[in-house]
Structure formats: C-alpha cells, structure tokens
Amino acid sequence: MQQSLFPSANPDPSASHEKFSRSDLNAAQLEAATTLGVPLLVIAGAGTGKTRTLVYRMAYLIEQGIPAANILLLTFTRKAAQEMIDRAGRLISDPRQRVTGGTFHAMANVLLRRHGHHLGYKPNFTILDRADAEGIINLLKSSLEMGATGKRFPSKRMVCNLFSRGVNKCQTLNEVIEDQYSHLAEYRDDLAKIQEHYHRFKFEHGLMDYDDLLVKFRQVLSEFPEVRREVAGRFQHVLVDEYQDTNPIQADIVRLVGGEHGNVMVVGDDSQSIYSFRGADFRNIMDFQTIFPGARLIRLEENYRSTQAILAVGNAIIDRAREKYEKRLFTSIAGGQRPQVYSAWDEATQARWVAERIAELLKQGVAREEIAVLFRSGFHSYKLELELNNRQIGFEKRGGLKLTESAHIKDVVSYLRVVSNPHDHLSWNRVLLLLDKVGPKTAQQVLATVRGAAEPLAALREYPAGKSWRGGLLKLLDLLETLGAGDRQPLAVFDAVMEYYQELFERIYHDDYPLRSRDLEQMRLLVGGYTDLQSLIDDTALDPPESTDESLGGRVGKPSGLILSTIHSAKGLEWDHVFVIHLAAGRFPSCQPFMREEWEEERRMLYVAATRARKMLYLTYPREVQTFDKQAAAGGISPFLAELPAHLLESWESRSGGGYPGSRLEKALPAGPAPAKVAEVPALGGKVRHPFFGEGKVEKLVGSRTVEVNFARHGRKTLHLDYARLEVLD
DNA sequence: TGAGACGCTGTTTTT
DNA sequence: CAGCGTCTCA
C-alpha cells in the first residue's frame, strides 16, 4: 500500500523561493503563526489572511525544527490542502519537507486501512459514494420486501439522508425522525430494520460510506489508546482550517488526536458556516475552548482582500444575521467601485448580461482566472453555460455533477473495485447486471455464491450459469482473474477493462455512447497519474474530478480559467471579479428554508459569496424564474438583496441605450431596509400553502409567529411566519 | 426473467 | 428534465 499519506503533486521546482519573513504578517497573524505550546483558536473573518497565517505557521514550525512529516493540516477540500502545503514549501529552505494534509475523510481513509483491523476491517475495504450507498438501500429495500405495494416507501435518497443526519448530528434514528422527519414516523420500524441491515451489509462486504470513515476512525482512536498515541505521535502538530464547518465527529477526532499533546490550532469564521446540512454547527467553534482549556483566542479582523465598497456590502449582509460573534472587518483598500446590481427580465437575459460583462472584461485584458460566477445551486448556471458556449467562452464548472457520477464511469470503476475487493457486493452486482441476459434476479442468485466464498472468482467458475449468459460470465471471470493476478499499473488495468467493456458499453448506451466515450478517454488520462490502484479507487469517491473537460491542469494550484461554481465549492477562494447570480426569491434563499436557522445559513452563504470578490462584485437576479413545470413565474428580488441599504449599491445602466430592460436600482430596491413581508397569521385548523411542501393544515399555534402545520405530502413541520413563505388559503 | 416503453414525481449544498 | 418505478411484451 502506498505509504505517503495523501499522494500529491510535487512542489513546483520552478517556483521562486519566497523568504519567510515576519514582516509579512500583521501582529495578530504573527501571533497565530508563531505561538507554540498552547491550543489556539483563530477567528478569522473573510479575507483576513487566514490561509496566509496557516501557511506561515507551517513554515514556522518547520523552521523551528519540527519535521514536516509530523505536521498535519486538515482542510475542507484536498485542493485547498495542496495549495497551502505548496505555498508553505516555498517559504522553507528544504523543499523535501512536505507537510501531510487533506480532508478529514481522506485522513480517516488512510489511517483506517492501517488500523481498521482493530474493528474487524480488512485493509482493502471499499469507499462508497452517495450513489453507492443509495444503491445498497435499494437492494435492501427490495430484499426485505418493503415498499412493495400500497403505501409508498420513502425514497432511497430520503432514507440515506435520514441515516446520515443521525450520524452527523449524533442522534438516534428515533430522534432524527422526531426532529426532522416526523412524517415518516409510520415507517420507523422498517427504517430501523433497514438501518441495521445496511450496517451489517457494509461491514460484511468490506464497505464504508463517508460517515463510516469518520465514525470508525473516531472509534478506533477512542477505543485503542495505542492507536491514538501512534497517530498523535506521528502528527505532533495539528492545524484545522474551516473549523466552523466541522461536525461533532470531526471535532472529536481533533480532540482525541490533539488531546495527546495540545498542539492544535483551529481556524474558522462563524459567519461563514454553511454546512449545517452535514451536521456542522458554528457554535462548535466556541466549544473549542471547553475541549482545550486554556486555549488562546486570536482574532483576525483586517481584510486584505476586498475594496471598502465591497466590504461594506459584505458587512451589511452579515450585520443582519441574528446571532453571531461580534467582529467588524475593516480594510485599508479604500474606495473601489460600488457593487453593481442588475435586475434582469428573466433568466435568459441574466445569462446574456453576465456573458456580455465577462466578454467585456476579457477584452479589457482581465485574466480569465480572475473572474468567477457564483450561485446557490448547481442548476442555476445552466442558461449561462449555454450562453458562454455560444460565445465560445471556455469555463470550468465547480460543484454539481462529478465525472464519477455518470453511469459509464461507475461501470468501469466497478470492475476495478471488484479486483481490489472481491467481496464488494455492490460492484459485483453492477458488473453482473451489465451482462446481457442478466437482470436483478439472476444477479442476486449469483451473488449468493459470492457471499459465502472465500475465493469468489474460483467459486463462480463452478456456477451453473444459464446458457444465454454463460459465455458472458466466463469472459468476465477471465478478465478479473487476469487483473487480479499480475501486479499491474492502474493504466494497464484500465486498458484491459476497457477492452472488455467496450462491447457492452456500446450495446448499453447505444444511443449516446460516442458522447460518453469522451468521459472514458478523460478518465484514462487521470488513471495515468496513479501508481496504485487502491488510491485511484479511493479518489473516485473522495476526490472526484469535475465533469467538465478541464481536469488535469486544474488539479494543482491556480484554477485554469473562468470559474462557474456553487458557493459551497467556492469556499476559501477569491477573484478580482465575482458575479453572484440568481439572487431571486425562491432561488436564493432557496425555497426550502422555513425556520430561522436555515434562513440564517442562506444569508451567510451570500456573505461568503460576496466576500470572494477583490475588486468588483456584480449581483444579478431575474425578475421571473421558470419553475420545472414551466408554470408559475414566481421570483423577484431576493429579500437578502432587497434589504441592503441602497446607497451601497449601484444599478447597472444599459450602455447600448436600452437594449435591456435594465431597471434603476431605486425602482428595484426599496429605499430603506425592507421589513420582511408580514405574513397573515393563519387560523388554527386553517389551510395554508407552502411553495415547497404544498398544502397543509394548521395544527397548532406556537407563540405569535410560529405555527405547526401538517402537510399532506411532507408531514408535520414547525414554521416561522417571518421566514416561511406561507400562503393562507380559505 | 429481461428489456424496453411509458408515465410520474421531485427539486440544495459535499465528503 | 431526469431519473425513477411500473407495466407490457418477448
């Protein structure tokens, strides 16, 4: 097995050797970078040099004689870790000193392959991505004969969410159901049964989902002191980025490792907490000082990123947050142009306008990598993507569909997974279903043989296969046997798989296989970069490449072009020119939030988006948005945008003399802060309609502005009238 | 039992 | 518009 923790690119040898210099940091940053012997909690506002501080701290530790191998940097994405580590590498004299770093999941993966045997795992376990996990739920659902007829059983997606939520918030199944899924109460017993089988299934077949990686890693750390000591001994300094977005399990992992020596620094910003759906709670930041008594708190408040004009808008957004730790960002980059607001007629106009601004910027000589377009949800950029394609402006999309989520890639990866872990039932199932004349029933029967066998391949040789598909099965076994035998490079394995798969591929995807084969070619390029099959397989789940063309150049360092990204994927990044689109009611905030917590998180998301901009910020919204059934053209300006003081913003004026139905800001924005629309208080027992949950009946009035509503389709929800967009029916 | 056609429904964000 | 589940035919 590969020993380097997280295989990553070599530092760029051509990079200049910046000298580590204390004068590069302000007082607070310097304190954060150089304080030793005390746990540190760094509250760092957006753009206050948090990354720089982490980078300098790594370099400082190394200069103090601590081997880089003993330093661990935990970040939110692998990209972020690599970039920081590269930068630290440039500050020190010995380029071979390389800090290890990556995501919590990646670290857990590597260490569990080594220590998982304590919990009964073999080192060749397979990591399940979301679709895999849902697949298992589906398998179990049908094998347990649930949801057969009559009542509709909750979707696999729902079931997975429910399980995951329980894990990440440390709640029991019953608590989760009560809390969030009360409408599923009647399925409680079935869900409990599925959950039990799900856990057993994963364990018996050497499978781990994302949550397992964290949970099992925590377990091995807490139950086996010798493991804990070994891990803590190896990582004598732990640095954690984006701490506001860690969940209780991750915090526990930090506590267990860091508790051994206390050399822990965590960096975070409560105002940028946007991952509560994964169990994160920004209040956890303050628990740090309880977990590590005597921890020192350092605040970074000087913003080095944005102009005053942009920062003013950022501050105005977050000022309206109900609950936050006081902190006021200031910048010495005076002036700057006020952020521009463009109110578009509809989505197409919005797309055209943004594309035109981008074309203009490019013409003015702005580098493509200094421009980004951000949005709440992946699909918000569809129209813009079309528009950019029309104008032949290349872009890279972050977030949204991953390359590895497409069926044909999953097919290929399944062969690799079976080679690596012959007990991986899920992949076996997929691989068998690809055979002609083999469907779910037959596959299940074959799998029964795999289950008991110590050597599945040999056992299957003896399988009494039906005439129509015997040949196919034997060919498959030949392939797997050849691959399992030699110690081949991943690329050779991939090519062998492709030779076998090509025929099936063209049959199954007969209508569009030429298009799909482009993905396979791209995948082949990626495979070429690996020397170890297991890490290739791991990365398909832990570090999946984005689906659009760009992938090799963008893996390390700077993004290679114009970026379209979800706000979540834009975390920690910055650009000169940032467009935030779809700031329309019902889109951003998405129509889902119905309680304060969720509403506030949406607001923080806008804050994150706005503070990505260095020089110029553009905020746009379509006045009309199409819903999926191309019906209701709801929308209009997002309340977040509407409530901003108008004098901080500037409306866009059409230069071409009215080619667009451009609006004047004064018209679009109310003069003062807009009060939230005061919704009518419905009567007890009255009917209401929610944009997402549909119709429901008011069951209880809690306080003056909070009601409990029982929705026909979604069960009972507690709603706050100031946040939920409730319509009172009569 | 598998394969393919049809109709329904459901909508974030990510490791 | 998918991606699912159900239904029908071979």
Side-chain angles (χ1 to χ4, degrees), chain A residues 29 61 77 88 93 124 188 217 250 278 297 306 314 347 361 363 367 411 417 467 482 521 538 587 648 690:
Chain A
Q29 290 173 335
L61 290 173
T77 64
S93 34
N124 68 340
R188 179 179 321 225
F217 184 49
Q250 293 167 317
R278 232 165 74 176
L297 172 74
S306 313
E347 296 179 70
L361 288 170
K363 216 166 164 189
D411 290 345
R417 301 213 310 196
K467 278 206 178 71
T482 327
E521 280 161 29
D538 291 349
R587 291 293 177 91
L648 295 178
H690 184 273

Side-chain angles (χ1 to χ4, degrees), chain A residues 463-485:
Chain A
Y463 191 84
K467 278 206 178 71
S468 55
W469 51 276
R470 178 176 197 99
L473 178 64
L474 289 178
K475 264 173 96 177
L476 172 63
L477 294 176
D478 286 344
L479 170 78
L480 295 173
E481 223 151 68
T482 327
L483 296 183

